[in-house]
Amino acid sequence: MKFKIGSIVCMCAVLFSSEIEAQSNTITYKKDGFWQQQADYSMSIDMDVESYQFKGTQTIKYTNNSPDVLDRVYYHLYFNAFQPGSEMDARLQSIQDPDGRMTTNIGTKENPVFESRISKLTEDEMGYIKVKSLQQNGKSLSYEIEGTVMIVNLSSPIQPGETVNFDMEFDGQVPVQIRRSGRNNKEGVSLSMTQWYPKLAEYDDEGWHADPYIAREFYGVWGNFDVKITIDKDYIIGGTGYLQNADEIGYGYTDADVKHKGKKLTWHFKAPNVHDFTWAADPDFIHDTMQVPNGPLLHFFYQNTMPEDKLDNWKKLQPKTAELMQYFSKHIGDYPYEQYSVIQGGDGGMEYAMCTLITGERSYGSLVGVTAHEMAHTWFQFLLATNEAKHEWMDEGFTSYISALAMNEVMDRNADNPVSGSYRGYVYLANSGVEQPLTTHADRYSINQAYGISAYSKGAVFIAQLGYIIGDDNLKRTIKKYYDDFSFKHPKPMDVVRTAERVSGLELDWYLIDFAQTTNTIDYAVKGIEGNTVTLERIGVMPMPIDLTVTYTDGSTEDYYIPLRMMRGQKPSSATVKADWAWAHQTYSFEASKTVKSVQIDPKGMMADIKKDNNTFPASE
């Protein structure tokens, strides 16, 4: 079942087992205790491309769908992070491995001394958002700004079910320092406008989420965006939303030859049912489009000043991007919007609503790879939209998993385990002594490397290893059902696990507890062989079912499967199934069919065992 939301097709009637009311592009969810806030934005800004300053107005139509009375709200003012003395600046100076994109090593390679570039920004180089006025339903409000968070005391509390208007005037300055946002990145893109506007914080069943912006990623309120950007007429814009006045703009948005009058153009975009709005602009952008069969229109924005081989890479990228869109729609669920844009900008690769910003002067393989990863985020971050401050691994890890599978197919890599690199990264971290559990707040990791491996590698292993536990076909069904059931609903870790339980019929809470909420590790060993008898040993604390291959003295082989008792069942398997193994028993013996020569645990390498050298017996040389 489908219905239109603005100019997109939304699958919400399928995605939610909830009552849905669609009126004027507003979706309200009310059933079985589930609710979700709504924030509809109307914004206009005027950008000065000489000073990189802009003036803006904003109206937010905010609907309190919660059962709670709200006596205050919070705004994110992300650009304020790019000021000397900010929390982001302080963190760069205190963490042992700060982000190299925002620091300079003034020491040596052997004895590095990192200096924060933010600490050196002058007044005309820093970023800021300055709120000039704020009203609630026409009444002025008092507010306090603490770094990147604005605390607003309401003139009257917002009652459950009530809708209010917040009207704001604000000024902004785009920072020199690029971290996702910024001006004149290393490839010369003029404006990377991400997290550029005062943004209402999310309020959900766990309360307010007004985290300061220190370096990590985002969590936002669903809504409809109506945005007008006035800028010098030579600048070409790509980003979130559908351009409403293409006949006045041209620049590849229409085939007509548009003549621009005056010094500036006003671009008018609308974006239905998103939780962010991003754009980038440059006078040297080429704008190409490509239609995905039975899918969205793809837009590509990249500078015409790149070397010829890099420009050619952007041309070759376009059909691959269409293949990637088709892969993700097939293996996760239909992409619900009518367009997607790949835009040169930023400082690496970062996902946004209906688009991504990526650095563009890359090799062809790197260009396809970063596009695959950032596009995959569309499903896990912008459609499922987990809170990345608390559960970053559900976005980064699941994205890493599915983009690795997509790259394996569209680039004809034919790897047996496309996620093997993630396994290696996780095993390295688990043996490093610096691992923290996946329940750690994203800002609270002691070192950046531990955050990166945890979020990307361990998160990818979580979902890949789930396939080892419940079976590959069940995992494929789980991913699709997870998307169908939880798109536009900000799912949490238990939602993934409960989905897998419903699909497989197995008990899986132990898996979430051990792998995501502790640093318990998996280490199984072949303890010995005697005739037909094989004895295994659990050395690590974390339990797992066991796949193993036995080689007999006559040269034949046989696969065995040992279920884990606490799963209360078993995955589909063509192997010989033995009695289940109860976790508290550290050893397990079984009789094989014939005299055993050797045994190998997990021959396909899909179990994240942190010590592989004891998985075979006799030990491999």
Side-chain angles (χ1 to χ4, degrees):
M1 188 185 305
K2 300 181 182 180
F3 63 93
K4 284 281 187 178
I5 301 181
S7 56
I8 70 169
V9 175
C10 183
M11 308 301 293
C12 300
V14 175
L15 302 182
F16 309 125
S17 57
S18 56
E19 177 184 336
I20 300 177
E21 301 172 4
Q23 297 179 353
S24 303
N25 290 342
T26 298
I27 298 180
T28 304
Y29 308 99
K30 307 173 182 175
K31 194 172 181 182
D32 301 328
F34 175 72
W35 53 267
Q36 192 160 271
Q37 305 294 67
Q38 178 87 14
D40 295 333
Y41 287 75
S42 294
M43 294 188 286
S44 296
I45 69 162
D46 192 328
M47 173 65 72
D48 183 335
V49 297
E50 299 298 327
S51 66
Y52 298 97
Q53 295 176 354
F54 55 94
K55 294 184 179 297
T57 61
Q58 178 192 84
T59 294
I60 299 177
K61 182 181 179 182
Y62 184 66
T63 302
N64 178 19
N65 291 317
S66 82
D68 306 321
V69 176
L70 305 180
D71 56 7
R72 62 168 51 175
V73 298
Y74 298 84
Y75 282 78
H76 297 285
L77 307 177
Y78 291 106
F79 273 9
N80 290 358
F82 301 95
Q83 298 175 9
S86 70
E87 288 191 69
M88 186 182 284
D89 180 29
R91 185 60 168 158
L92 288 169
Q93 298 181 61
S94 64
I95 197 167
Q96 71 179 50
D97 59 338
D99 191 328
R101 291 168 292 194
M102 295 188 287
T103 54
T104 301
N105 182 7
I106 59 175
T108 64
K109 183 177 180 180
E110 295 75 19
N111 296 292
V113 177
F114 296 105
E115 180 179 76
S116 165
R117 293 176 190 162
I118 293 177
S119 70
K120 300 299 181 181
L121 294 178
T122 62
E123 189 171 339
D124 63 346
E125 294 175 330
M126 66 178 61
Y128 62 69
I129 296 175
K130 296 179 179 179
V131 177
K132 312 300 289 185
S133 67
L134 178 62
Q135 295 181 333
Q136 175 190 347
N137 293 338
K139 295 182 179 180
S140 296
L141 296 176
S142 63
Y143 51 85
E144 180 181 359
I145 295 175
E146 297 179 344
T148 61
V149 176
M150 183 170 76
I151 307 160
V152 180
N153 295 310
L154 300 179
S155 60
S156 58
I158 308 174
Q159 301 298 319
E162 183 181 1
T163 298
V164 300
N165 287 335
F166 293 113
D167 296 297
M168 180 189 293
E169 294 181 352
F170 64 97
D171 294 340
Q173 180 169 284
V174 187
V176 167
Q177 173 60 54
I178 294 282
R179 183 63 191 106
R180 304 184 178 103
S181 304
R183 52 172 135 149
N184 301 319
N185 78 346
K186 67 179 181 180
E187 296 177 347
V189 175
S190 296
L191 290 164
S192 298
M193 299 295 287
T194 70
Q195 309 299 331
W196 55 273
Y197 58 92
K199 182 177 180 180
L200 265 179
E202 178 67 289
Y203 183 83
D204 63 16
D205 61 350
E206 295 179 345
W208 285 104
H209 298 275
D211 295 300
Y213 184 35
I214 295 175
R216 304 303 183 207
E217 298 181 25
F218 313 105
Y219 187 44
V221 190
W222 296 105
N224 304 296
F225 284 72
D226 188 320
V227 179
K228 293 179 180 178
I229 302 164
T230 300
I231 194 169
D232 283 32
K233 66 181 180 181
D234 294 333
Y235 281 68
I236 301 169
I237 295 177
T240 304
Y242 307 118
L243 183 62
Q244 302 297 296
N245 58 336
D247 57 341
E248 299 173 12
I249 300 298
Y251 287 132
Y253 284 97
T254 177
D255 294 332
D257 184 16
V258 179
K259 302 297 183 182
H260 302 135
K261 299 178 181 179
K263 293 183 178 181
K264 289 190 171 185
L265 285 175
T266 296
W267 300 60
H268 184 194
F269 294 93
K270 288 186 178 181
N273 210 28
V274 296
H275 53 86
D276 197 11
F277 190 97
T278 291
W279 58 283
D282 193 88
D284 296 322
F285 272 160
I286 297 170
H287 177 199
D288 293 335
T289 61
M290 176 172 285
Q291 181 66 52
V292 179
N294 300 312
L297 181 66
L298 301 176
H299 295 258
F300 300 87
F301 299 87
Y302 54 102
Q303 289 183 308
N304 60 22
T305 54
M306 281 191 282
E308 192 66 32
D309 61 324
K310 305 303 182 187
L311 288 172
D312 185 56
N313 288 341
W314 274 84
K315 296 295 184 183
K316 292 190 297 181
L317 168 69
Q318 294 172 26
K320 287 297 182 185
T321 304
E323 289 183 52
L324 290 166
M325 177 62 72
Q326 290 174 308
Y327 183 93
F328 297 135
S329 290
K330 176 182 177 181
H331 293 278
I332 309 173
D334 288 341
Y335 178 79
Y337 304 103
E338 292 179 356
Q339 74 176 45
Y340 183 85
S341 299
V342 181
I343 308 165
Q344 185 183 4
D347 61 354
M350 182 63 195
E351 71 281 359
Y352 300 102
M354 302 169 66
C355 66
T356 179
L357 266 60
I358 62 174
T359 46
E361 296 183 12
R362 300 166 174 263
S363 68
Y364 172 61
S366 176
L367 195 63
V368 177
V370 70
T371 301
H373 183 85
E374 304 310 333
M375 178 185 281
H377 273 298
T378 291
W379 281 262
F380 292 110
Q381 173 54 8
F382 275 93
L383 293 172
L384 288 157
T386 293
N387 183 350
E388 287 191 272
K390 298 184 67 174
H391 314 298
E392 65 283 349
W393 58 275
M394 291 176 66
D395 171 42
E396 295 294 354
F398 293 7
T399 292
S400 297
Y401 167 79
I402 202 70
S403 60
L405 268 59
M407 286 290 288
N408 195 50
E409 180 170 304
V410 304
M411 299 298 281
D412 299 317
R413 291 177 173 175
N414 300 313
D416 291 333
N417 179 7
V419 198
S420 59
S422 294
Y423 278 80
R424 289 192 296 273
Y426 162 68
V427 170
Y428 166 80
L429 178 65
N431 286 301
S432 69
V434 297
E435 183 186 8
Q436 294 171 251
L438 293 181
T439 51
T440 304
H441 189 285
D443 288 325
R444 247 70 95 209
Y445 281 84
S446 297
I447 61 175
N448 278 324
Q449 184 188 45
Y451 164 82
I453 297 176
S454 295
Y456 291 79
S457 297
K458 190 173 184 181
V461 171
F462 181 95
I463 194 73
Q465 187 171 243
L466 182 60
Y468 168 84
I469 294 168
I470 67 176
D472 289 338
D473 288 342
N474 279 335
L475 177 61
K476 292 174 183 177
R477 291 170 54 209
T478 293
I479 291 171
K480 289 184 176 182
K481 183 171 177 54
Y482 173 55
Y483 175 74
D484 285 348
D485 289 350
F486 293 101
S487 291
F488 300 97
K489 293 182 77 171
H490 298 312
K492 300 173 185 178
M494 185 53 73
D495 295 319
V496 178
V497 172
R498 291 291 291 131
T499 301
E501 288 184 333
R502 292 183 184 105
V503 168
S504 68
L506 302 172
E507 295 295 319
L508 299 168
D509 59 327
W510 59 271
Y511 182 54
L512 178 65
I513 292 168
D514 277 80
F515 204 67
Q517 298 176 359
T518 75
T519 54
N520 292 343
T521 56
I522 303 163
D523 183 11
Y524 281 86
V526 184
K527 190 172 185 178
I529 301 170
E530 186 173 345
N532 292 21
T533 304
V534 176
T535 300
L536 309 177
E537 182 179 14
R538 177 183 58 75
I539 300 171
V541 173
M542 182 172 169
M544 286 291 283
I546 301 297
D547 289 346
L548 72 159
T549 297
V550 171
T551 300
Y552 297 114
T553 54
D554 63 7
S556 63
T557 63
E558 186 173 1
D559 293 331
Y560 287 88
Y561 171 57
I562 304 170
L564 179 66
R565 180 171 294 177
M566 65 179 69
M567 288 170 58
R568 310 303 174 196
Q570 61 193 50
K571 69 178 177 183
S573 178
S574 60
T576 301
V577 181
K578 305 303 289 186
D580 58 29
W581 185 347
W583 170 81
H585 295 285
Q586 289 190 274
T587 61
Y588 177 99
S589 296
F590 71 93
E591 296 296 315
S593 303
K594 295 179 281 189
T595 304
V596 176
K597 177 183 178 182
S598 63
V599 176
Q600 182 178 5
I601 294 174
D602 184 30
K604 293 183 178 180
M606 296 305 296
M607 186 170 71
D609 193 307
I610 67 163
K611 190 178 180 185
K612 296 288 189 182
D613 58 0
N614 59 13
N615 285 13
T616 58
F617 190 92
S620 57
E621 297 181 1

